[in-house]
Amino acid sequence: MASTLLISLLFSLTIVIALALAPSSHGLNQKLSQSSTLASTSTEFTYHGGPLLTGPRSINIYLIWYGTFFLKDRTPITDFFASLDPSKGLFPLKEPAVSTWWKTTTSYKDKAGKPVSTTFRLAKQLGDIGYSLGKNIKRAQIANYVKSKIDNKILPLDPNGIYLVLTSKNVIVERFCMGSCGFHDSFMASVKGRVVYAHVGDPLVQCPGLCAWPYAVPAYGPPGQVPLLAPNSVGTDGLVMNIATILAGAATNPFKSGYFQGDVLAPLEAVTACPGIFGYGAYPGYPGDLMVDKMTKASYNAYGVNGTKFLLPAMWDPIHSNCKVVA
């Protein structure tokens, strides 16, 4: 009994330290409940006065597949983007839907009272199967990589866009899997202003326990835990969970002057304020109550187009001041 208690205490301490050391704009999936995050601190989740990615314009996604991605891996991800936008008539009849999850972002409004855009468009996709930057990449290289695509007119300059670089499982990115499952940032593209770019990596080989939990055994914690079955695949569903996290942060805090809690250099954003929460009743080490597919036994909490199933993280609801799960 004493040894079990010691392991549990060490697990909780390790997770708290990991969160404290986490970099800004990350896509972490630490196993912490709401009571362990915002509810336990006096610092409020506040709006800092800067611009958001607001409507009525759509948020345009410029997607770069860096490395080797097979069709079976790409399809659920493009389905996820299609599922975000109910305006196209492609949204599923079943609830809870991916687009329902995104509606929580409309509670985030700028100084003029304009909410975050509810519409998405996968504007363009590029592939880089030749690994033009190599397989060991610094974060600064990603910014320069995206900027070169804009400068060379391969991608348009879009102030309401998110330039998202997805790296395959065999690509090492600075700080990826070192407490971070992805990040978003911005750079000055021209005199017209800044643009938002982001990175998310496939965690299957490098850190499934950190960036694909609960579909993998957690990186830290008591032994013997059994991971849930993924509806698509561990790597793909890990990518989707962290893409969702980064999109929410990029839309509500695109230039580090929007909505966040804590220090600007290490903020908790719309989703990272609610780590490890996917369903009602979540607590450290337990993602919450989820739906389970009768045939495959895969766990999920949202429906997308083409019958695709996803697991989406809870998002901070600024109106009710709590972590809201898709329902």
Side-chain angles (χ1 to χ4, degrees), residues 70 74 84 111 125 145 189 191 205 221 230 236 255 274 280 287 300 307:
F70 297 106
R74 297 196 307 269
L84 282 166
K111 289 190 293 187
Q125 300 181 63
Y145 180 70
V191 293
V205 173
T236 299
F255 308 115
C274 303
Y280 292 113
Y300 63 99

Side-chain angles (χ1 to χ4, degrees), residues 148-197:
S148 71
K149 301 294 184 186
I150 297 173
D151 292 344
N152 293 315
K153 311 298 182 183
I154 298 172
L155 292 175
L157 173 59
D158 187 349
N160 222 53
I162 298 176
Y163 299 82
L164 176 60
V165 179
L166 302 183
T167 51
S168 57
K169 59 189 177 184
N170 58 342
V171 177
I172 297 172
V173 175
E174 180 186 17
R175 291 163 61 182
F176 177 63
C177 287
M178 299 296 290
S180 170
C181 302
F183 74 95
H184 69 85
D185 208 329
S186 65
F187 59 80
M188 185 65 70
S190 72
V191 293
K192 294 181 180 179
R194 307 185 72 85
V195 297
V196 177
Y197 73 99

Side-chain angles (χ1 to χ4, degrees), residues 51-121:
L52 314 178
L53 299 186
T54 58
R57 296 175 298 171
S58 65
I59 296 174
N60 298 315
I61 304 296
Y62 300 94
L63 187 58
I64 302 175
W65 303 92
Y66 186 91
T68 303
F69 289 90
F70 297 106
L71 181 61
K72 66 179 180 62
D73 303 316
R74 297 196 307 269
T75 299
I77 293 171
T78 54
D79 280 350
F80 170 70
F81 284 113
S83 304
L84 282 166
D85 189 356
S87 68
K88 295 186 176 71
L90 297 174
F91 59 97
L93 296 177
K94 289 185 178 181
E95 290 283 352
V98 172
S99 57
T100 302
W101 172 81
W102 185 255
K103 283 181 182 177
T104 301
T105 63
T106 61
S107 299
Y108 293 79
K109 299 179 181 180
D110 67 8
K111 289 190 293 187
K114 293 182 179 180
V116 167
S117 178
T118 58
T119 59
F120 272 85
R121 187 168 68 98

Side-chain angles (χ1 to χ4, degrees), residues 96 100-101 104 277-282 287-289 301 312-316 322-327:
T100 302
W101 172 81
T104 301
I277 303 174
F278 296 91
Y280 292 113
D289 298 333
N301 63 5
L312 301 178
M315 189 184 304
W316 182 255
N322 62 12
C323 291
K324 183 177 180 179
V325 297
V326 60

Side-chain angles (χ1 to χ4, degrees), residues 182-326:
F183 74 95
H184 69 85
D185 208 329
S186 65
F187 59 80
M188 185 65 70
S190 72
V191 293
K192 294 181 180 179
R194 307 185 72 85
V195 297
V196 177
Y197 73 99
H199 163 260
V200 178
D202 185 332
L204 179 62
V205 173
Q206 299 177 53
C207 54
L210 176 69
C211 297
W213 185 85
Y215 294 134
V217 176
Y220 307 99
Q225 296 192 49
V226 178
L228 302 179
L229 294 179
N232 302 292
S233 71
V234 173
T236 299
D237 286 301
L239 274 166
V240 169
M241 286 188 287
N242 292 299
I243 289 170
T245 298
I246 296 304
L247 289 184
T252 60
N253 187 33
F255 308 115
K256 300 181 180 180
S257 58
Y259 286 85
F260 63 88
Q261 183 243 8
D263 193 294
V264 66
L265 297 178
L268 291 178
E269 298 179 327
V271 171
T272 53
C274 303
I277 303 174
F278 296 91
Y280 292 113
Y283 56 81
Y286 176 63
D289 298 333
L290 305 174
M291 295 183 286
V292 178
D293 187 281
K294 293 180 180 179
M295 296 292 292
T296 66
K297 307 303 180 184
S299 297
Y300 63 99
N301 63 5
Y303 294 98
V305 299
N306 301 319
T308 313
K309 298 177 176 68
F310 299 105
L311 183 63
L312 301 178
M315 189 184 304
W316 182 255
D317 182 347
I319 294 179
H320 300 97
S321 297
N322 62 12
C323 291
K324 183 177 180 179
V325 297
V326 60

